[in-house]
Amino acid sequence: MNDAYILLVEDRIEDVELTLRAFKRAHLINDIVVKHDGVEALEFLQTAEPPALMLIDISMPRMTGIQLLERVRKLEHMRHVPAVMLTSSAEERDLVASYDSGANSYVRKPVTFTDFADLIARLGMYWIVLNESPGTARPFYGGVPQNT
């Protein structure tokens, strides 16, 4: 597995497939690990190396994305992993609860695949290419990030 993998936590198979297609269309080379609910994701994250990014749906069975994020933020090795709530919820309470639980971003899923693919490309560009989290900083030479 690529060191800079992305964790996608999504219960709807259709949304998983759309997200994977969007990543492929955006030419993001990171491995994508898919977990289908919060319980499955938490079990995985307790022993896994930290992902470069977590994309988390809110409405899932067994454990919501917000409940998952609250528990993940208590894991020392996962405290600084960027977490994006990728959801269809427009509820203010979900937005506030997400940030209160440690989300770094809250993004609503667009309706059309083209808009969704554009969103995934932008998320990937920002969170995987441009953003630096503790333990991921790399020097820049001539404006191009260099792996050390």
Side-chain angles (χ1 to χ4, degrees), residues 69-116:
L69 191 54
E70 288 171 347
R71 288 166 176 81
V72 166
R73 290 301 188 219
K74 293 177 184 173
L75 301 173
E76 183 64 30
H77 69 294
M78 297 290 168
R79 281 189 8 212
H80 299 294
V81 175
V84 175
M85 305 310 277
L86 185 59
T87 182
S88 56
S89 174
E91 297 292 327
E92 181 73 14
R93 69 176 186 271
D94 288 340
L95 176 69
V96 171
S98 294
Y99 280 106
D100 286 348
S101 300
N104 299 97
S105 185
Y106 187 97
V107 179
R108 274 191 268 146
K109 297 174 189 173
V111 175
T112 69
F113 176 73
T114 301
D115 291 343
F116 185 73

Side-chain angles (χ1 to χ4, degrees), residues 10-18 36:
E10 171 63 66
D11 63 313
R12 295 191 56 215
I13 298 300
E14 301 83 9
D15 285 350
V16 169
E17 291 171 357
L18 282 175
H36 298 284

Side-chain angles (χ1 to χ4, degrees), residues 12-133:
R12 295 191 56 215
I13 298 300
E14 301 83 9
D15 285 350
V16 169
E17 291 171 357
L18 282 175
T19 304
L20 295 177
R21 282 182 45 213
F23 273 118
K24 185 174 182 178
R25 181 177 175 189
H27 305 290
L28 292 172
I29 61 170
N30 303 78
D31 290 329
I32 312 296
V33 173
V34 177
K35 298 299 173 187
H36 298 284
D37 65 45
V39 172
E40 187 180 326
L42 184 60
E43 289 171 357
F44 171 77
L45 289 170
Q46 287 173 336
T47 58
E49 289 295 316
L53 175 64
M54 295 183 290
L55 298 174
I56 305 170
D57 185 29
I58 289 179
S59 299
M60 295 183 291
R62 301 199 305 162
M63 180 187 296
T64 69
I66 293 167
Q67 293 167 330
L68 168 65
L69 191 54
E70 288 171 347
R71 288 166 176 81
V72 166
R73 290 301 188 219
K74 293 177 184 173
L75 301 173
E76 183 64 30
H77 69 294
M78 297 290 168
R79 281 189 8 212
H80 299 294
V81 175
V84 175
M85 305 310 277
L86 185 59
T87 182
S88 56
S89 174
E91 297 292 327
E92 181 73 14
R93 69 176 186 271
D94 288 340
L95 176 69
V96 171
S98 294
Y99 280 106
D100 286 348
S101 300
N104 299 97
S105 185
Y106 187 97
V107 179
R108 274 191 268 146
K109 297 174 189 173
V111 175
T112 69
F113 176 73
T114 301
D115 291 343
F116 185 73
D118 289 344
L119 170 70
I120 291 298
R122 289 179 183 168
L123 286 173
M125 175 57 72
Y126 177 76
W127 289 107
I128 300 299
V129 177
L130 299 174
N131 184 62
E132 292 185 18
S133 298

